[in-house]
Amino acid sequence: MLMIKQDPSLLQSEISIPMTLNNQPHEPVRRVVFHFGQWQRDFLVRYRDDSEQQIGLPENLDLPFQIPLNLKYQVKLDGHHLILGPVVGFITNQKKENLAPKGLNISYRYMRLLDDNGLTFICAVDGINVKEQTIEGYYYSHNDEEPWKKGVFPFPAALYRRATVPNSLYSELVNIMGDEIFNSYPFNKWETWDWLSSNPELRRHLPYTERFSSVQVLDSMLSRFGTVYAKQENGKASENLFKISKEMQAYHVFDSEGKEQILPEEKAEEFFSSFIKKKYILQQEIEVSRYEGRHIDFRMIMQKDGNQQWGCTAIITKFGERNGITTIVSDSGFALSGENALRKVFKLNRKQTFRKLEEMTSICIEMCKALERTGGHYADLGVDLMIDKNLKVWILEINNKLPDHSMPFDFLKDANLLQKVLSTPLEYARARAGF
Amino acid sequence: MKKKYKIIPDMKFRSCLTVNPFRIEELNIAKKGIWYFRFGLQAFELKVETSDEIAIDELHLSIDVIDQAGIPLDSQYEITIFGNEIIIGPYIGILATHEQSRLEELLYASYSKYIYDYPAIGGAILIFSLEGVDTKNDIIEGFMYNPVTDIWEKGQYCYPSSIFKTISMNKELRSFFQTKYKDRIFNIYNFNKWQMYDWLSNISTVKDYLPETYLYKKVNNIESLIVKHEELYIKPIYGSRGRGIFKVSNLQGKYKISYDKNDGKQEVIVNSIVELLEFLESQIKHKAYIIQRAIVPQMIDERMVDYRMILTKDQSGNWKENGLVSRLGMTGNITSNISTGGEAEDGETILQKSFGIDAHESFRLHKKMREVAFEAALGLEKSGVHCGNLGIDMLLGKDQQIWIIEINNINPNALIMVRVGDRNQYYKVKLANMLYAKKLAGFSEEEA
């Protein structure tokens, strides 16, 4: 860990580094490419033989951004590349005016638990300046009464996307940063099926899905599965969810509140035309497991860690409302740890419980890897699984846009686990940024 | 998820492996020429054939190879290709005890838990004793797990690909296994308390977390040390569970010696250094001891608190923490060992209680402890010990300073996780041990 100092004795083109960094005593590096986030500049090296671990920069660098001098950094000399960091950014909002130190203090209270380690900043979509390659936002400064400080920064080495980024801006970001943005492309429900179902290991765990392109597709799905779910391709987990079955030439359509509509066949074209227009998918019904009439599913919090490896940080069982068709954990729903639920609901013994949890985890890890092979860079996903009556594991949904992990914890009340869930993506981002 | 295969005996050919054409392409073993088939340490030259009639998840292997290698047929195998070798496995050995006669009881009592999640491990798993190793004929008599019947089958088997060793053994045997296994056996060397200090105190990232420690010598350094540190622990080099530990306190001219007996604390006061040495000699006899500066830990209700962190390597070969447990000693005892009547509780809960901090702060402290533990684990490996499973005992001073007191690498017992109600974490430790052995056997995690 070292500090950055401004050194008036340095020329505009010079940087000073401690002697101890020189790992090639016989042929010390004379010129370096200095990296701070995505920003790079060529410098002449001056070695300083003092005990203080610091990097010296010339006074008038004339940069469009700041290098905060009150933070501790790590430094790596890799050949003639001198990398200062980690520089990590989070995009969390659309508008910078909605970012405020007070709110950040609450949402990112776990920051103070992490090491004073490089630059971590939070920004909004409209704070990104592609032309200048700078980002306006707030950075976190440890040991300060008011830890969030406003500033302008270079593009970071790793960017955690927690807000919707318009396509054109996203392309610009990729153009500058490459693949260092996660979660990258927000795939929808159709793409989940489309990307993953060609993998035979995963196919077995995915409910059969088709695009709701015509009433004929609906009819063929109904004749095959009896009951199907219609969901909006881009909708959230439980928005615009319908359960459809057919009896005596009439469609029975239940909405997520359980209200039933009965449609004679001849009304179908007209009724379902809005589904077709609004891009719905049709999905095979899975025989749900219920506990006291409640829907049960499992939220698997899948994250990459500081070793840049996928793991399951937490498994939370969600219980829906009595006789509801979803598991929105609302006032009358509740949550349990995965282990307790398997023992209580499925009456598994210890060995079976352990095996099932490991199986759920390994299916999800395989799925995360497959998503990265087929579609993008991900590091923080909320995966909803279901276990049917035959104890088979089904992948219901992958929340990749803005997974809000704190929600089930409102019920689970495990502060220690929540800390881990919230801080793991940052650990990953720092590792990704080279440290 | 790697593909799993069943081995089907083939009576028609000799030295031959027949595979579905689709798989031959996928495994990249279509080339003509020489192939070796490896199971454990044995390799057999054979030819590879292809046939449409073979199911996609089957390997038809000629019976002569199956017989010679002693391949269990009820297991599900993975395949890796390495150079000109087709390796099936994993074939993992667990060296569980010295005496053959104890194997059977251990199998069902404790070792079955290692394979609770057999599907994740797969392959052949052999449990054996040192006595069962026939070094002349390269045969091991032991018990092989049959996943179909869930029974351990007694028999004679060839050497496995990797070994998870859970006992200590002498130098000759260590060299024997090192010769055969190189880095595919872990926990081969079991260091003592002095070696741990001696090695780690040379490692810059760790040395600040070790209380000063000295080897106990007869005509002694104890006099100057008791003046310098006021309180010292005298511990047997090889002891565990807090047995045989003495605490010596300097009472200005007099010395108090405290030690735990089953029924509580014993105290002896002596009037001079000479008497102190005499007392210690009478207790210690000829055994090797260390002297360690006594750290004053943060206590709860006058009870000693220490922490055990369990570290394991998993299939990726990276260290992971598998839980932090705190142990509270009996009131007034000089150690917090649970075998002398202490209690175990969840580590973070006790961090919060003992320092009066919230979940945020305990998370941070826990993280710091984990980082120190990882550095110590890396330090041990730099010292030449191949580890895969460590129990790291730590104390926290009143200023939250972290101290590593002891590190156990002879299969530290994770049963303590069950005591704090985290039974799954206990199984996870066992699974991690097996998955690391699986990696060593040549079956590492798939690349993303």
Side-chain angles (χ1 to χ4, degrees), chain B residues 42-88:
Chain B
Q42 279 71 185
F44 303 87
E45 190 181 308
L46 48 58
K47 55 182 187 297
V48 176
E49 296 286 349
T50 145
S51 163
D52 284 331
E53 285 160 26
I54 287 174
I56 203 150
D57 58 351
E58 285 177 2
L59 302 171
H60 286 227
L61 184 61
S62 54
I63 193 89
D64 56 326
V65 177
I66 291 179
D67 279 349
Q68 276 186 66
I71 300 172
L73 297 178
D74 280 337
S75 299
Q76 297 277 324
Y77 294 97
E78 291 177 18
I79 293 188
T80 57
I81 308 299
F82 189 78
N84 60 356
E85 290 195 348
I86 300 167
I87 308 166
I88 67 154

Short mmCIF file of all heavy atoms in Angstrom, two decimals, chain B residues 42-88:
data_model
loop_
_atom_site.label_atom_id
_atom_site.label_comp_id
_atom_site.label_asym_id
_atom_site.label_seq_id
_atom_site.Cartn_x
_atom_site.Cartn_y
_atom_site.Cartn_z
N GLN B 42 -1.29 -46.86 -12.31
CA GLN B 42 -1.03 -47.84 -13.36
C GLN B 42 -1.42 -47.33 -14.74
O GLN B 42 -2.46 -46.70 -14.89
CB GLN B 42 -1.85 -49.12 -13.13
CG GLN B 42 -1.28 -50.07 -12.16
CD GLN B 42 -1.39 -49.56 -10.71
OE1 GLN B 42 -0.89 -50.20 -9.87
NE2 GLN B 42 -2.02 -48.45 -10.43
N ALA B 43 -0.60 -47.67 -15.72
CA ALA B 43 -0.96 -47.35 -17.10
C ALA B 43 -0.86 -48.61 -17.95
O ALA B 43 -0.05 -49.50 -17.67
CB ALA B 43 -0.05 -46.26 -17.65
N PHE B 44 -1.71 -48.69 -18.95
CA PHE B 44 -1.75 -49.86 -19.82
C PHE B 44 -1.78 -49.39 -21.26
O PHE B 44 -2.57 -48.52 -21.61
CB PHE B 44 -3.01 -50.69 -19.56
CG PHE B 44 -3.14 -51.14 -18.13
CD1 PHE B 44 -3.75 -50.33 -17.19
CD2 PHE B 44 -2.63 -52.38 -17.74
CE1 PHE B 44 -3.85 -50.72 -15.87
CE2 PHE B 44 -2.73 -52.77 -16.41
CZ PHE B 44 -3.34 -51.96 -15.48
N GLU B 45 -0.95 -50.00 -22.07
CA GLU B 45 -0.97 -49.65 -23.48
C GLU B 45 -2.18 -50.32 -24.13
O GLU B 45 -2.46 -51.49 -23.86
CB GLU B 45 0.31 -50.12 -24.16
CG GLU B 45 0.47 -49.58 -25.56
CD GLU B 45 1.74 -50.08 -26.23
OE1 GLU B 45 2.83 -49.94 -25.63
OE2 GLU B 45 1.63 -50.63 -27.33
N LEU B 46 -2.91 -49.57 -24.95
CA LEU B 46 -4.04 -50.18 -25.64
C LEU B 46 -4.36 -49.44 -26.92
O LEU B 46 -3.78 -48.41 -27.22
CB LEU B 46 -5.28 -50.27 -24.74
CG LEU B 46 -5.75 -49.06 -23.93
CD1 LEU B 46 -6.05 -47.87 -24.78
CD2 LEU B 46 -6.99 -49.44 -23.14
N LYS B 47 -5.27 -50.00 -27.67
CA LYS B 47 -5.70 -49.29 -28.87
C LYS B 47 -7.13 -48.76 -28.66
O LYS B 47 -7.90 -49.33 -27.88
CB LYS B 47 -5.59 -50.15 -30.12
CG LYS B 47 -6.32 -51.48 -30.08
CD LYS B 47 -6.07 -52.23 -31.38
CE LYS B 47 -6.89 -53.51 -31.50
NZ LYS B 47 -6.61 -54.55 -30.48
N VAL B 48 -7.43 -47.68 -29.34
CA VAL B 48 -8.74 -47.06 -29.20
C VAL B 48 -9.56 -47.37 -30.45
O VAL B 48 -9.10 -47.15 -31.56
CB VAL B 48 -8.60 -45.53 -29.02
CG1 VAL B 48 -9.96 -44.88 -28.96
CG2 VAL B 48 -7.81 -45.24 -27.75
N GLU B 49 -10.75 -47.91 -30.25
CA GLU B 49 -11.64 -48.21 -31.37
C GLU B 49 -12.91 -47.41 -31.23
O GLU B 49 -13.22 -46.89 -30.16
CB GLU B 49 -11.99 -49.71 -31.37
CG GLU B 49 -10.81 -50.63 -31.60
CD GLU B 49 -10.32 -50.63 -33.04
OE1 GLU B 49 -11.03 -50.06 -33.91
OE2 GLU B 49 -9.22 -51.15 -33.30
N THR B 50 -13.65 -47.35 -32.33
CA THR B 50 -14.92 -46.64 -32.25
C THR B 50 -16.04 -47.53 -32.76
O THR B 50 -15.84 -48.36 -33.63
CB THR B 50 -14.85 -45.30 -33.03
OG1 THR B 50 -16.11 -45.07 -33.61
CG2 THR B 50 -13.81 -45.35 -34.10
N SER B 51 -17.21 -47.34 -32.16
CA SER B 51 -18.36 -48.14 -32.60
C SER B 51 -19.65 -47.38 -32.34
O SER B 51 -19.86 -46.83 -31.25
CB SER B 51 -18.38 -49.47 -31.86
OG SER B 51 -19.66 -50.05 -31.99
N ASP B 52 -20.52 -47.36 -33.35
CA ASP B 52 -21.83 -46.70 -33.23
C ASP B 52 -22.72 -47.37 -32.20
O ASP B 52 -23.67 -46.77 -31.71
CB ASP B 52 -22.57 -46.76 -34.57
CG ASP B 52 -21.99 -45.76 -35.54
OD1 ASP B 52 -21.48 -44.74 -35.05
OD2 ASP B 52 -22.04 -46.01 -36.76
N GLU B 53 -22.44 -48.63 -31.94
CA GLU B 53 -23.35 -49.38 -31.09
C GLU B 53 -23.16 -49.07 -29.61
O GLU B 53 -23.90 -49.55 -28.76
CB GLU B 53 -23.16 -50.89 -31.32
CG GLU B 53 -23.77 -51.33 -32.65
CD GLU B 53 -23.19 -52.65 -33.12
OE1 GLU B 53 -22.74 -53.43 -32.27
OE2 GLU B 53 -23.21 -52.86 -34.35
N ILE B 54 -22.15 -48.27 -29.33
CA ILE B 54 -21.87 -47.98 -27.93
C ILE B 54 -22.58 -46.70 -27.51
O ILE B 54 -22.53 -45.70 -28.22
CB ILE B 54 -20.35 -47.89 -27.73
CG1 ILE B 54 -19.80 -49.31 -27.83
CG2 ILE B 54 -19.99 -47.26 -26.41
CD1 ILE B 54 -18.33 -49.38 -27.81
N ALA B 55 -23.23 -46.78 -26.37
CA ALA B 55 -23.95 -45.59 -25.88
C ALA B 55 -22.95 -44.49 -25.61
O ALA B 55 -21.77 -44.72 -25.36
CB ALA B 55 -24.73 -45.94 -24.61
N ILE B 56 -23.49 -43.28 -25.62
CA ILE B 56 -22.64 -42.10 -25.58
C ILE B 56 -21.94 -41.94 -24.22
O ILE B 56 -20.87 -41.37 -24.12
CB ILE B 56 -23.48 -40.86 -25.96
CG1 ILE B 56 -22.61 -39.76 -26.48
CG2 ILE B 56 -24.38 -40.42 -24.84
CD1 ILE B 56 -23.31 -38.90 -27.48
N ASP B 57 -22.54 -42.51 -23.18
CA ASP B 57 -21.93 -42.37 -21.86
C ASP B 57 -21.29 -43.68 -21.40
O ASP B 57 -21.17 -43.93 -20.21
CB ASP B 57 -22.97 -41.89 -20.85
CG ASP B 57 -24.15 -42.82 -20.75
OD1 ASP B 57 -24.24 -43.75 -21.59
OD2 ASP B 57 -24.97 -42.65 -19.83
N GLU B 58 -20.87 -44.50 -22.36
CA GLU B 58 -20.22 -45.77 -21.98
C GLU B 58 -18.82 -45.84 -22.55
O GLU B 58 -18.52 -45.29 -23.61
CB GLU B 58 -21.02 -46.96 -22.52
CG GLU B 58 -22.29 -47.22 -21.75
CD GLU B 58 -23.09 -48.37 -22.34
OE1 GLU B 58 -22.64 -49.00 -23.33
OE2 GLU B 58 -24.17 -48.64 -21.82
N LEU B 59 -17.98 -46.54 -21.81
CA LEU B 59 -16.65 -46.87 -22.32
C LEU B 59 -16.57 -48.39 -22.28
O LEU B 59 -16.74 -48.98 -21.21
CB LEU B 59 -15.57 -46.29 -21.43
CG LEU B 59 -15.55 -44.77 -21.21
CD1 LEU B 59 -14.55 -44.42 -20.12
CD2 LEU B 59 -15.19 -44.07 -22.50
N HIS B 60 -16.33 -49.01 -23.42
CA HIS B 60 -16.16 -50.46 -23.42
C HIS B 60 -14.67 -50.77 -23.32
O HIS B 60 -13.90 -50.41 -24.18
CB HIS B 60 -16.78 -51.08 -24.66
CG HIS B 60 -18.28 -51.09 -24.59
ND1 HIS B 60 -19.04 -52.19 -24.90
CD2 HIS B 60 -19.15 -50.13 -24.20
CE1 HIS B 60 -20.33 -51.89 -24.71
NE2 HIS B 60 -20.41 -50.65 -24.30
N LEU B 61 -14.34 -51.42 -22.22
CA LEU B 61 -12.92 -51.65 -21.93
C LEU B 61 -12.69 -53.15 -21.84
O LEU B 61 -13.45 -53.87 -21.17
CB LEU B 61 -12.57 -50.97 -20.59
CG LEU B 61 -11.13 -51.01 -20.15
CD1 LEU B 61 -10.22 -50.32 -21.16
CD2 LEU B 61 -10.98 -50.34 -18.79
N SER B 62 -11.65 -53.62 -22.54
CA SER B 62 -11.43 -55.07 -22.57
C SER B 62 -11.16 -55.58 -21.15
O SER B 62 -10.54 -54.91 -20.33
CB SER B 62 -10.31 -55.42 -23.53
OG SER B 62 -9.16 -54.68 -23.20
N ILE B 63 -11.63 -56.77 -20.93
CA ILE B 63 -11.67 -57.34 -19.58
C ILE B 63 -10.27 -57.52 -18.99
O ILE B 63 -10.08 -57.41 -17.78
CB ILE B 63 -12.49 -58.66 -19.61
CG1 ILE B 63 -12.84 -59.13 -18.19
CG2 ILE B 63 -11.78 -59.74 -20.39
CD1 ILE B 63 -14.12 -58.56 -17.70
N ASP B 64 -9.27 -57.76 -19.87
CA ASP B 64 -7.91 -57.95 -19.33
C ASP B 64 -7.41 -56.68 -18.62
O ASP B 64 -6.80 -56.76 -17.56
CB ASP B 64 -6.93 -58.37 -20.44
CG ASP B 64 -6.91 -57.37 -21.61
OD1 ASP B 64 -7.97 -56.79 -21.91
OD2 ASP B 64 -5.83 -57.19 -22.20
N VAL B 65 -7.74 -55.52 -19.18
CA VAL B 65 -7.31 -54.27 -18.54
C VAL B 65 -8.09 -54.05 -17.24
O VAL B 65 -7.52 -53.68 -16.21
CB VAL B 65 -7.50 -53.07 -19.50
CG1 VAL B 65 -7.13 -51.77 -18.80
CG2 VAL B 65 -6.69 -53.26 -20.76
N ILE B 66 -9.38 -54.30 -17.30
CA ILE B 66 -10.21 -54.14 -16.09
C ILE B 66 -9.68 -55.00 -14.96
O ILE B 66 -9.54 -54.55 -13.82
CB ILE B 66 -11.68 -54.50 -16.40
CG1 ILE B 66 -12.27 -53.45 -17.34
CG2 ILE B 66 -12.50 -54.58 -15.11
CD1 ILE B 66 -13.70 -53.70 -17.74
N ASP B 67 -9.34 -56.24 -15.29
CA ASP B 67 -8.84 -57.16 -14.27
C ASP B 67 -7.51 -56.71 -13.70
O ASP B 67 -7.32 -56.68 -12.48
CB ASP B 67 -8.69 -58.57 -14.85
CG ASP B 67 -10.03 -59.29 -14.87
OD1 ASP B 67 -10.97 -58.75 -14.25
OD2 ASP B 67 -10.12 -60.35 -15.51
N GLN B 68 -6.61 -56.37 -14.59
CA GLN B 68 -5.27 -55.99 -14.11
C GLN B 68 -5.30 -54.72 -13.28
O GLN B 68 -4.60 -54.60 -12.28
CB GLN B 68 -4.35 -55.77 -15.31
CG GLN B 68 -3.72 -57.05 -15.83
CD GLN B 68 -2.71 -56.70 -16.90
OE1 GLN B 68 -1.69 -56.08 -16.62
NE2 GLN B 68 -3.00 -57.09 -18.12
N ALA B 69 -6.10 -53.76 -13.72
CA ALA B 69 -6.15 -52.49 -12.99
C ALA B 69 -7.09 -52.56 -11.80
O ALA B 69 -7.02 -51.73 -10.91
CB ALA B 69 -6.58 -51.38 -13.94
N GLY B 70 -7.96 -53.56 -11.79
CA GLY B 70 -8.92 -53.68 -10.70
C GLY B 70 -9.88 -52.51 -10.67
O GLY B 70 -10.08 -51.87 -9.64
N ILE B 71 -10.47 -52.22 -11.80
CA ILE B 71 -11.34 -51.03 -11.88
C ILE B 71 -12.74 -51.36 -11.38
O ILE B 71 -13.39 -52.27 -11.90
CB ILE B 71 -11.43 -50.54 -13.34
CG1 ILE B 71 -10.02 -50.18 -13.83
CG2 ILE B 71 -12.37 -49.35 -13.47
CD1 ILE B 71 -9.95 -49.87 -15.30
N PRO B 72 -13.22 -50.66 -10.37
CA PRO B 72 -14.59 -50.90 -9.90
C PRO B 72 -15.60 -50.49 -10.98
O PRO B 72 -15.47 -49.41 -11.56
CB PRO B 72 -14.72 -49.99 -8.67
CG PRO B 72 -13.36 -49.54 -8.34
CD PRO B 72 -12.55 -49.62 -9.59
N LEU B 73 -16.56 -51.34 -11.25
CA LEU B 73 -17.45 -51.09 -12.38
C LEU B 73 -18.73 -50.33 -12.02
O LEU B 73 -19.45 -49.90 -12.89
CB LEU B 73 -17.82 -52.42 -13.05
CG LEU B 73 -16.61 -53.16 -13.65
CD1 LEU B 73 -17.03 -54.49 -14.25
CD2 LEU B 73 -15.90 -52.32 -14.70
N ASP B 74 -19.00 -50.19 -10.74
CA ASP B 74 -20.22 -49.48 -10.36
C ASP B 74 -20.01 -47.98 -10.23
O ASP B 74 -20.95 -47.24 -9.94
CB ASP B 74 -20.77 -50.02 -9.04
CG ASP B 74 -21.54 -51.33 -9.26
OD1 ASP B 74 -22.00 -51.54 -10.40
OD2 ASP B 74 -21.65 -52.12 -8.32
N SER B 75 -18.79 -47.52 -10.43
CA SER B 75 -18.53 -46.09 -10.27
C SER B 75 -18.79 -45.33 -11.56
O SER B 75 -18.84 -45.91 -12.64
CB SER B 75 -17.07 -45.88 -9.86
OG SER B 75 -16.81 -46.52 -8.64
N GLN B 76 -18.96 -44.01 -11.41
CA GLN B 76 -19.12 -43.11 -12.55
C GLN B 76 -17.80 -42.39 -12.74
O GLN B 76 -17.33 -41.75 -11.82
CB GLN B 76 -20.21 -42.08 -12.23
CG GLN B 76 -21.58 -42.66 -12.00
CD GLN B 76 -22.29 -42.90 -13.32
OE1 GLN B 76 -22.15 -42.13 -14.26
NE2 GLN B 76 -23.04 -43.99 -13.39
N TYR B 77 -17.24 -42.48 -13.93
CA TYR B 77 -15.90 -41.92 -14.14
C TYR B 77 -15.92 -40.70 -15.04
O TYR B 77 -16.75 -40.56 -15.91
CB TYR B 77 -14.98 -42.97 -14.75
CG TYR B 77 -14.71 -44.12 -13.81
CD1 TYR B 77 -15.44 -45.30 -13.91
CD2 TYR B 77 -13.76 -44.01 -12.81
CE1 TYR B 77 -15.21 -46.35 -13.04
CE2 TYR B 77 -13.52 -45.05 -11.94
CZ TYR B 77 -14.25 -46.22 -12.05
OH TYR B 77 -14.03 -47.25 -11.18
N GLU B 78 -14.92 -39.86 -14.81
CA GLU B 78 -14.64 -38.78 -15.74
C GLU B 78 -13.39 -39.16 -16.52
O GLU B 78 -12.64 -40.04 -16.12
CB GLU B 78 -14.38 -37.47 -14.98
CG GLU B 78 -15.63 -36.93 -14.32
CD GLU B 78 -15.36 -35.67 -13.50
OE1 GLU B 78 -14.32 -35.02 -13.69
OE2 GLU B 78 -16.22 -35.35 -12.66
N ILE B 79 -13.19 -38.48 -17.65
CA ILE B 79 -12.00 -38.74 -18.46
C ILE B 79 -11.21 -37.45 -18.62
O ILE B 79 -11.80 -36.39 -18.85
CB ILE B 79 -12.41 -39.21 -19.88
CG1 ILE B 79 -13.07 -40.57 -19.80
CG2 ILE B 79 -11.20 -39.26 -20.81
CD1 ILE B 79 -13.33 -41.19 -21.16
N THR B 80 -9.90 -37.54 -18.48
CA THR B 80 -9.08 -36.43 -18.97
C THR B 80 -8.00 -37.02 -19.87
O THR B 80 -7.59 -38.17 -19.71
CB THR B 80 -8.37 -35.61 -17.88
OG1 THR B 80 -7.56 -36.48 -17.10
CG2 THR B 80 -9.32 -34.89 -16.99
N ILE B 81 -7.58 -36.22 -20.82
CA ILE B 81 -6.55 -36.66 -21.74
C ILE B 81 -5.29 -35.86 -21.42
O ILE B 81 -5.34 -34.63 -21.30
CB ILE B 81 -6.96 -36.38 -23.20
CG1 ILE B 81 -8.35 -36.94 -23.49
CG2 ILE B 81 -5.92 -36.92 -24.18
CD1 ILE B 81 -8.49 -38.42 -23.32
N PHE B 82 -4.20 -36.54 -21.24
CA PHE B 82 -2.95 -35.85 -20.95
C PHE B 82 -1.87 -36.48 -21.82
O PHE B 82 -1.48 -37.62 -21.60
CB PHE B 82 -2.62 -35.97 -19.47
CG PHE B 82 -1.48 -35.11 -19.05
CD1 PHE B 82 -1.65 -33.74 -18.86
CD2 PHE B 82 -0.21 -35.66 -18.88
CE1 PHE B 82 -0.58 -32.95 -18.49
CE2 PHE B 82 0.86 -34.86 -18.50
CZ PHE B 82 0.68 -33.49 -18.30
N GLY B 83 -1.44 -35.74 -22.84
CA GLY B 83 -0.45 -36.30 -23.77
C GLY B 83 -1.01 -37.54 -24.43
O GLY B 83 -2.09 -37.51 -25.02
N ASN B 84 -0.30 -38.64 -24.29
CA ASN B 84 -0.76 -39.88 -24.92
C ASN B 84 -1.52 -40.77 -23.94
O ASN B 84 -1.64 -41.97 -24.14
CB ASN B 84 0.42 -40.63 -25.53
CG ASN B 84 1.47 -40.99 -24.47
OD1 ASN B 84 1.32 -40.60 -23.31
ND2 ASN B 84 2.49 -41.72 -24.87
N GLU B 85 -2.00 -40.16 -22.86
CA GLU B 85 -2.70 -40.95 -21.84
C GLU B 85 -4.18 -40.61 -21.77
O GLU B 85 -4.56 -39.44 -21.80
CB GLU B 85 -2.08 -40.71 -20.46
CG GLU B 85 -0.70 -41.30 -20.33
CD GLU B 85 -0.24 -41.38 -18.88
OE1 GLU B 85 -0.88 -40.77 -17.99
OE2 GLU B 85 0.76 -42.07 -18.64
N ILE B 86 -4.98 -41.66 -21.68
CA ILE B 86 -6.41 -41.49 -21.40
C ILE B 86 -6.59 -41.86 -19.93
O ILE B 86 -6.40 -43.01 -19.55
CB ILE B 86 -7.24 -42.42 -22.29
CG1 ILE B 86 -6.99 -42.10 -23.76
CG2 ILE B 86 -8.72 -42.33 -21.94
CD1 ILE B 86 -7.52 -43.14 -24.72
N ILE B 87 -6.90 -40.86 -19.14
CA ILE B 87 -6.97 -41.10 -17.69
C ILE B 87 -8.42 -41.19 -17.27
O ILE B 87 -9.20 -40.27 -17.55
CB ILE B 87 -6.28 -39.97 -16.90
CG1 ILE B 87 -4.87 -39.74 -17.46
CG2 ILE B 87 -6.25 -40.24 -15.42
CD1 ILE B 87 -4.22 -38.44 -17.02
N ILE B 88 -8.81 -42.25 -16.59
CA ILE B 88 -10.15 -42.25 -16.01
C ILE B 88 -10.03 -42.12 -14.51
O ILE B 88 -9.06 -42.56 -13.89
CB ILE B 88 -11.01 -43.47 -16.40
CG1 ILE B 88 -10.45 -44.74 -15.80
CG2 ILE B 88 -11.18 -43.58 -17.89
CD1 ILE B 88 -11.52 -45.79 -15.61
#
